[in-house]
Amino acid sequence: MKIRVGYGYDVHRLAENRDLWLGGIRIDHSKGLLGHSDADVLLHAICDALLGAANLRDIGFHFPDTASEYKDVDSKLLLKRTLEVISAKGYRVGNIDATVCAERPKINPHIPAMQKVIADILEIDIDDISIKATTSEKMGFVGREEGFAAYAVALIEKE
C-alpha cells in the first residue's frame, strides 16, 4: 500500500449580508465569509490537502474563481468533485485532521455536525475526521475578526 500526505490552508474575509458556511453546515452569525463560492474555508483547506497529497495541484486550478459555474457554488460539491479526482488516480481518503481559526462564533458546538457532513461526502468513517477550533488570541486579521483561516492535513492511500 502507498500512502501520501497533503497539507491545505485557506483564508476568507468576513463580510456583511453573507451566510456563514463552515464544514458544510450553515452557522448562525452576524457575518459570513466572502468568496466566489460559498467561501467555506474549512472545506477549501481540505480540498487543497487532498489534491496536494495526490499531486494534483490546488483548488484554484480545478475550480477557478474566474469560472461562472462556481459562482456561489456549495463547497460540498467541490469536496465531492475533489474526491472523484483523487479516486480517478486510484486513491482513497485515510483521514483528515483540520483546524479552524476564528474568534467568533464558537466553533466547537458545531464540530460533530461538520464531521458527519465531511465523512459522508468523503465516504469514510466519522472517526477519521478530526476538526479542532482555536482563536488567534486577538492577533492578526483573525483576531481583529476580519476573517477566518483553516488548515488541513489529509492522508490518502493507494492499494
Side-chain angles (χ1 to χ4, degrees):
M1 176 185 344
K2 181 177 187 175
I3 62 171
R4 296 179 70 140
V5 177
Y7 173 76
Y9 168 74
D10 196 34
V11 297
H12 281 282
R13 182 178 316 188
L14 281 162
E16 301 286 340
N17 303 312
R18 293 276 299 187
D19 286 335
L20 176 58
W21 286 93
L22 192 64
I25 66 168
R26 188 186 167 284
I27 297 175
D28 189 38
H29 190 53
S30 60
K31 294 181 179 179
L33 294 168
L34 183 62
H36 186 69
S37 67
D38 65 7
D40 189 325
V41 69
L42 177 56
L43 294 188
H44 294 181
I46 292 170
C47 287
D48 265 349
L50 290 166
L51 292 165
N55 193 21
L56 290 167
R57 302 193 59 176
D58 60 38
I59 192 172
F61 177 80
H62 291 274
F63 314 110
D65 63 7
T66 55
S68 61
E69 67 202 84
Y70 301 119
K71 177 70 176 144
D72 297 321
V73 72
D74 183 335
S75 292
K76 292 187 293 291
L77 177 63
L78 303 182
L79 184 58
K80 183 67 175 170
R81 288 192 182 159
T82 296
L83 177 64
E84 292 166 0
V85 168
I86 70 164
S87 294
K89 201 169 174 182
Y91 290 103
R92 68 178 188 83
V93 180
N95 74 297
I96 303 291
D97 183 22
T99 302
V100 176
C101 191
E103 295 296 321
R104 289 184 314 120
K106 292 289 186 192
I107 305 301
N108 277 317
H110 306 285
I111 288 175
M114 290 188 273
Q115 287 175 299
K116 169 97 173 80
V117 167
I118 296 166
D120 287 350
I121 293 168
L122 296 179
E123 302 170 7
I124 60 176
D125 191 274
I126 197 167
D127 193 49
D128 293 325
I129 305 292
S130 170
I131 302 171
K132 301 168 304 299
T134 190
T135 69
S136 66
E137 301 291 331
K138 308 265 184 228
M139 296 182 292
F141 75 92
V142 171
R144 292 187 300 271
E145 297 186 40
E146 295 171 5
F148 286 11
Y151 308 84
V153 176
L155 177 96
I156 60 174
E157 305 164 324
K158 184 187 256 186
E159 290 296 331

